Amino acid sequence: FFFQAEDGIRDFCLSRGLGDVYKRQEYMGEVIRNLRAESPFRILAMDIGRTVTGYAVSDNFVRKASYWSSITTLAGPLEDKNFNQKVLSILRKHGISGIIYGKCSTGPMNEYFTKVMEAFIKETQVKCPITSVNEDYTTMASRQIINHVNNLAGTRVMGEDEKDAISAVLILEKFIEELNQK
């Protein structure tokens, strides 16, 4: 797979570099549309945080989120020596074919998200398509969902600890929506 990177074109299979969001999303969308009709193709969506990373897994044909949870780290994904192995374990357990991670349109966390994914790629040598999607407002939206569910139930059914997993579901749903519009 080839993706347009911020600093030039890279061969994904060889360098596994991260690249330009829109061109990679378009290409990854094309790959998924071609493959999902013929065989299972599952996507892992990640909402990377300083101590909690939410994740969601698509169904076999990238039509909806079928599972979600989170990974908690004491020091953060870059500092936690087990983080990359935890993500790799999720890839294997769910038969993941591609990864999507959320990035804000602006802000200091973008560099951090990119560093986390580059460290993951370097350490694990994973060879699947990886792209980012804009995650502006997913944290706010996930908090609103939690508040709404709790208000409907009349008690605390969902807590702040589920915010990152819900954000990952929203990231995945956004990608699926964009994928199906093309």
Side-chain angles (χ1 to χ4, degrees), residues 52 70 146 156 158-165:
V52 178
S70 58
I146 290 169
R156 185 174 181 257
M158 299 178 84
E160 182 71 14
D161 53 331
E162 290 148 318
K163 170 186 60 70
D164 298 291

Side-chain angles (χ1 to χ4, degrees), residues 14 73 87 108 182:
L14 296 177
T73 59
V87 174
K182 297 188 180 205

Side-chain angles (χ1 to χ4, degrees), residues 78 103 107-118:
L78 284 175
K103 280 180 82 171
M109 287 299 286
N110 280 344
E111 186 176 323
Y112 182 76
F113 298 148
T114 301
K115 285 181 181 178
V116 168
M117 291 310 297
E118 286 177 343

Side-chain angles (χ1 to χ4, degrees), residues 29 31-32 34 37 41 43 55 61-62 68 72 79 91 93 98 123 125 127 135 158 174 177:
V31 169
I32 293 169
N34 291 336
F41 193 95
I43 297 287
Y55 68 91
F61 297 99
V62 193
W68 56 87
T72 303
E79 298 77 20
L91 297 181
K93 177 181 177 183
E123 181 183 320
Q125 298 295 302
K127 294 183 180 178
E135 70 153 2
M158 299 178 84
K174 180 178 181 177
E177 182 181 315

